[in-house]
Amino acid sequence: MSNEGVEIEFTGPFRKLSGERKIFLPLEHEVTLNEFIEILSRKFGDEFRKRVLDEAGKLDADRSIIIINGRIVDSTKETSYVVKPGDTVAFALSLAGGG
Amino acid sequence: MKGYAGKYLLVNLTSRKIVSKMLDEGMAVNFIGGYGFGARTLYDYVPAGVEPFSPDNVLAFWTGPLAGTIAPVSSKYAVFARSPLTGFFGFGISSGGFAFELKCAQWDGIIFTGRSDSPTYLFIDDENVELRDASHLWGRTTWETEQMIREELGDDTVRVAAIGPAGERLVRIGNITNDRNRQVGRTGMGAVMGSKNLKAVAVRGTRDVEVADPDGLMKFSMELNERLQGPKTEKYRVYGTPANILIHNKLGCLPSYNFQRGTFEYAEEVSGERMLKTHVRKIIACTNCAIACDHVNEVREGPYAGTVASMDYESLNMLGPCCGVRDLNAITKAVEICDTLGVDTISAGVIIAWAMECYEKGILSSEEVDGLDLRFGNSEAMLEALKKLCLREGKLGNLLAEGVKRASEIVGRGSEKFAIHCKGLEWGAYSMRSLKTSTLGFAVSIRGADYLRSGSYQVDVRGEVDRLKLDYSRGKIVCDGENLYAIIDSLIICKFARGIFSSVDELAKLYTLTTGIEMTGKQLLLAGERIHNLAKCFNIRHGASRKDDYPPPRAFEEEMPDDVVRGAKITREEYDEALNGYYDARGWTREGIPTAEKLLQLGLEKEAEEIAKYQVSHELKLTGAK
């Protein structure tokens, strides 16, 4: 994979919002996860931000999860995450089970 | 005591005597309902030595205190018996409208004992209860049975819980179906029902259920309904649980090819996203539910055109990727077969996947699989094997009908290593090696490999712990989850709604508004712990010990081949440490036996006395004393 950007996969509502299953986003340098979400929100609209963050601007693990290089972002420690060129990132609904 | 009907039915199928029994308030306060009442019933009615298909086994249907009221997501009931699949605590929970109707007929539950000498069904028409002939229904599918009973009674609003031909033939994964698409799925409760010659329970309830604080309950229920239609349940409403396929695949925790792998190369083809576009015909709700999660598929073309089946993640994955099958039409057909003939989709998928692996590895011969080309991915062979299993047809059908544990023990020749189960219950759709807290929760579960007793996968998939590691601290996570879920399953409310409650205090509030019995969240959790310990005592009585709380060999012996989790497996050391952590958190011995001190603390005096004997007996075994 190129190191000049980030591969992003979308499932569920994120696929509908972006209109894509997968995109390649050019990225020259490391950014924080919050900055990364901001970039995507500018690209796909405010609804994207609302799907990922709650009203307080925190990751909403009841609704969505973010996976960076196969590792799930811990919603309680989101500020410590960064996204850098070469990463793969996925946005998905939080997992559901148990009727 | 409001909310509860205050009475239940005791039906002796041998003598055909039907008795109304009063529900004791102490039982209500200490065991809440549902799971709690089931634990009390099994412990009190099924001593050691009672075989699951014996007339001496009981079959108990219980609702919770909220069923039949305005409280949302509460139309649920549970069925209990000693499981013919595991030999331990058996139960399953179903939704739909059956529980609401039963409570409106003014019954909290039904305990069946004995065995009818001919096929029969119970008809409850408010206070009028009778056993009716079911000879003409024997051999009919679950859907046909429901329809025929409604026609016979001249009322298409009667709710029916029925078994299919599988339960009649004592297929050990036989289930019970109500409202066409809702099942008491796991641990073979339909097979116990079949062993009693009980084809169905039909209910018509026309009375109101009184609650303690109608205005307060209405206000709180309206608030909960608003939350239920909010963002926290959108995943269930819009996408349904099949949306899990792509996420699990991305994480390398999607069981495929009989759990050999954690990814499926055709995941997109069987994804919830694809299904929503091509197969979902309608989305329906259970009685009194504001979520509406039930995604009903219809096959629109090809050889299975016209097939209709309710599809969730577990069914989809176990009859799809776990069998290497990528054809959504065939998977929908497979679920329809399970639902109509009456077997658990999860167990069925795991059993067939085991047979496929054994066939590919040359352990099962062509003759032993009745000439089927039982390779992974062959959807036609999968469907044929499934029908045989449900009807006990041929060598293969009779073998698979025993469940994966027994089937592998019958076959031997190393096939036991590929049987993915715990305590005899087939594993659900969560990878063992890449969701390790989940695996601990599955393995220690009362009813066998089970994600629904603690929800311990949640900390793994939310990234709150390192899902590829296990340690001592995971034991407390599982323990706390079990106590909470014991309450959810006793009230009984839908687990899809668990995220809308801000704390367990809100569950207690719902209970108090309904019943008038003062209850705090802390007291509820203590009841959850009591219920779980009582169920564990039942398992101890029937021979359970530490050895039964381990995942199958594949979890320890094979590394995962998928890129995202390559090399992942569980070490014995880390598992033992986590299991110790679990037993310590529970206050049990390291052999997994509740201590007298713990049981007394929970008010389980007579259980403490009995379990102490097992403790002594086990210590004697360990020291080799006679």
Side-chain angles (χ1 to χ4, degrees):
Chain A
M1 179 182 304
S2 164
N3 282 338
E4 295 171 359
V6 178
E7 188 179 279
I8 310 171
E9 283 185 48
F10 301 107
T11 70
F14 296 102
R15 191 173 282 188
K16 198 172 175 184
L17 275 175
S18 66
E20 305 280 353
R21 282 185 186 180
K22 191 182 281 192
I23 64 167
F24 184 80
L25 184 77
L27 189 71
E28 293 177 356
H29 53 83
E30 181 179 296
V31 295
T32 67
L33 181 57
N34 281 343
E35 287 169 337
F36 188 68
I37 292 167
E38 202 49 44
I39 292 169
L40 292 174
S41 299
R42 282 199 296 271
K43 187 174 175 66
F44 298 122
D46 201 42
E47 189 62 26
F48 191 94
R49 183 187 297 103
K50 287 180 184 171
R51 287 223 154 255
V52 183
L53 306 176
D54 63 17
E55 287 171 1
K58 300 283 184 189
L59 285 182
D60 187 351
D62 282 334
R63 287 190 82 187
S64 307
I65 58 170
I66 302 171
I67 305 165
I68 303 175
N69 301 326
R71 293 296 172 115
I72 306 158
V73 170
D74 179 351
S75 60
T76 63
K77 298 173 185 165
E78 67 203 78
T79 51
S80 66
Y81 288 87
V82 294
V83 178
K84 56 186 183 309
D87 283 349
T88 62
V89 181
F91 288 86
L93 279 170
S94 60
L95 282 150
Chain B
M1 188 170 66
K2 307 290 186 184
Y4 299 97
K7 58 187 173 54
Y8 61 95
L9 287 162
L10 187 59
V11 180
N12 185 322
L13 291 165
T14 305
S15 66
R16 303 182 82 77
K17 190 176 173 189
I18 300 170
V19 179
S20 169
K21 305 278 281 185
M22 299 302 290
L23 183 74
D24 174 56
E25 185 163 342
M27 169 103 152
V29 173
N30 288 316
F31 298 98
I32 309 300
Y35 179 23
F37 286 4
R40 191 67 273 168
T41 306
L42 288 197
Y43 194 86
D44 290 346
Y45 279 79
V46 189
V50 170
E51 293 302 319
F53 289 145
S54 154
D56 293 334
N57 197 4
V58 295
L59 183 76
F61 287 56
W62 283 113
T63 61
L66 309 178
T69 74
I70 192 79
V73 293
S74 64
S75 179
K76 297 182 82 83
Y77 71 103
V79 179
F80 305 84
R82 185 179 180 205
S83 167
L85 196 60
T86 67
F88 294 129
F89 195 94
F91 85 108
I93 295 176
S94 183
S95 312
F98 183 88
F100 196 94
E101 199 80 11
L102 183 61
K103 187 63 87 59
C104 288
Q106 305 285 292
W107 301 104
D108 288 309
I110 315 158
I111 300 175
F112 292 98
T113 62
R115 174 190 288 152
S116 173
D117 58 10
S118 62
T120 189
Y121 78 90
L122 186 76
F123 177 42
I124 299 169
D125 189 9
D126 287 333
E127 68 275 15
N128 300 309
V129 185
E130 61 174 328
L131 284 165
R132 298 172 68 117
D133 176 49
S135 303
H136 58 301
L137 302 171
W138 209 248
R140 297 290 187 167
T141 67
T142 56
W143 294 359
E144 287 169 345
T145 302
E146 178 181 273
Q147 187 59 32
M148 287 172 73
I149 288 177
R150 285 176 169 175
E151 284 171 9
E152 187 172 305
L153 298 172
D155 184 349
D156 63 4
T157 64
V158 166
R159 301 290 182 167
V160 178
I163 60 168
E168 296 171 11
R169 295 169 198 214
L170 309 186
V171 172
R172 289 180 190 270
I173 62 167
N175 67 9
I176 302 167
T177 287
N178 61 278
D179 301 287
R180 283 179 71 99
N181 295 325
R182 311 314 305 174
Q183 280 83 26
V184 175
R186 308 230 69 193
T187 67
M189 296 299 95
V192 175
M193 197 159 153
S195 77
K196 294 185 174 302
N197 271 326
L198 179 64
K199 179 66 178 175
V201 178
V203 190
R204 177 164 52 210
T206 63
R207 308 288 164 78
D208 291 331
V209 176
E210 287 187 34
V211 299
D213 182 348
D215 292 340
L217 183 62
M218 174 66 86
K219 190 178 169 197
F220 191 40
S221 296
M222 297 296 279
E223 186 185 330
L224 292 174
N225 275 328
E226 269 192 38
R227 294 186 209 169
L228 285 167
Q229 291 174 324
K232 287 186 188 300
T233 58
E234 182 198 29
K235 56 196 170 192
Y236 304 111
R237 286 198 313 271
V238 179
Y239 296 92
T241 55
N244 284 356
I245 288 278
L246 289 182
I247 310 165
H248 274 230
N249 194 54
K250 187 74 193 161
L251 295 170
C253 57
L254 183 83
S256 61
Y257 303 98
N258 195 30
F259 289 79
Q260 292 180 87
R261 303 186 208 165
T263 56
F264 187 53
E265 61 270 45
Y266 309 110
E268 279 286 348
E269 293 180 36
V270 297
S271 65
E273 286 82 345
R274 164 99 186 270
M275 205 180 86
L276 207 53
K277 282 182 186 166
T278 59
H279 283 71
V280 175
R281 187 177 76 176
K282 58 182 177 179
I283 301 173
I284 56 180
C286 296
T287 300
N288 223 4
C289 175
I291 301 177
C293 68
D294 189 5
H295 286 56
V296 180
N297 271 10
E298 180 182 26
V299 178
R300 291 160 195 175
E301 58 188 11
Y304 312 121
T307 298
V308 175
S310 172
M311 188 67 77
D312 61 21
Y313 166 65
E314 299 279 342
S315 305
L316 176 58
N317 190 73
M318 306 330 279
L319 293 159
C322 195
C323 292
V325 171
R326 60 198 270 203
D327 177 359
L328 264 180
N329 290 347
I331 299 168
T332 304
K333 184 67 187 174
V335 175
E336 187 192 70
I337 290 169
C338 290
D339 289 356
T340 53
L341 298 182
V343 299
D344 172 13
T345 52
I346 298 174
S347 287
V350 175
I351 295 166
I352 291 170
W354 165 82
M356 286 175 154
E357 185 171 358
C358 290
Y359 178 70
E360 285 199 351
K361 287 188 157 77
I363 295 171
L364 283 176
S365 68
S366 178
E367 190 202 346
E368 286 174 305
V369 299
D370 295 345
L372 294 178
D373 180 18
L374 208 54
R375 285 177 294 177
F376 282 116
N378 185 342
S379 57
E380 288 179 15
M382 183 266 284
L383 291 172
E384 278 306 306
L386 185 57
K387 285 181 210 160
K388 284 173 176 287
L389 183 163
C390 292
L391 298 173
R392 278 192 180 272
E393 277 182 3
K395 278 186 183 175
L396 182 66
N398 253 316
L399 177 70
L400 302 186
E402 291 298 304
V404 80
K405 177 175 183 285
R406 279 184 177 76
S408 69
E409 287 167 355
I410 292 166
V411 170
R413 309 194 290 269
S415 69
E416 301 94 327
K417 287 177 71 170
F418 313 127
I420 310 301
H421 71 91
C422 181
K423 302 181 183 72
L425 184 67
E426 291 76 13
W427 207 272
Y430 295 80
S431 165
M432 299 177 290
R433 294 164 287 178
S434 51
L435 292 172
K436 291 188 179 180
T437 321
S438 166
T439 297
L440 178 67
F442 268 68
V444 300
S445 159
I446 289 297
R447 70 175 183 179
D450 186 2
Y451 65 106
L452 289 171
R453 297 283 69 77
S454 65
S456 57
Y457 63 90
Q458 287 181 107
V459 292
D460 287 328
V461 300
R462 287 181 173 210
E464 292 170 14
V465 296
D466 184 343
R467 65 191 172 98
L468 299 178
K469 288 182 180 165
L470 263 181
D471 58 44
Y472 185 88
S473 69
R474 308 295 171 91
K476 185 162 189 327
I477 293 172
V478 171
C479 172
D480 290 347
E482 284 180 333
N483 290 344
L484 176 61
Y485 274 32
I487 288 307
I488 289 173
D489 289 341
S490 296
L491 282 171
I492 314 169
I493 58 168
C494 180
K495 293 197 180 76
F496 287 176
R498 62 192 182 273
I500 68 156
F501 292 95
S502 62
S503 72
V504 73
D505 287 331
E506 285 202 330
L507 292 174
K509 178 181 174 182
L510 197 55
Y511 180 81
T512 299
L513 289 171
T514 303
T515 65
I517 298 168
E518 288 300 323
M519 184 73 73
T520 64
K522 196 175 171 186
Q523 288 170 320
L524 261 189
L525 285 174
L526 186 66
E529 187 181 4
R530 180 182 303 116
I531 291 161
H532 190 85
N533 273 267
L534 181 58
K536 182 70 177 182
C537 288
F538 179 85
N539 279 358
I540 298 297
R541 174 193 281 170
H542 291 279
S545 66
R546 184 180 179 107
K547 68 179 187 319
D548 299 298
D549 290 342
Y550 281 79
R554 175 154 281 152
F556 298 108
E557 296 173 6
E558 296 175 35
E559 294 185 350
M560 293 194 78
D562 317 86
D563 280 344
V564 66
V565 288
R566 186 174 294 282
K569 67 172 183 175
I570 301 174
T571 68
R572 294 272 175 190
E573 293 73 22
E574 67 176 343
Y575 190 82
D576 280 335
E577 187 188 350
L579 187 55
N580 287 341
Y582 171 75
Y583 290 153
D584 289 356
R586 279 255 162 253
W588 297 348
T589 71
R590 288 284 175 94
E591 267 304 310
I593 300 175
T595 59
E597 185 186 5
K598 172 53 70 179
L599 295 176
L600 290 172
Q601 183 192 331
L602 295 169
L604 298 170
E605 286 87 4
K606 71 174 183 182
E607 291 78 8
E609 197 176 324
E610 183 191 347
I611 297 307
K613 295 175 195 166
Y614 293 101
Q615 176 76 35
V616 172
S617 158
H618 191 80
E619 282 168 3
L620 288 175
K621 275 185 202 166
L622 288 178
T623 59
K626 290 182 182 173

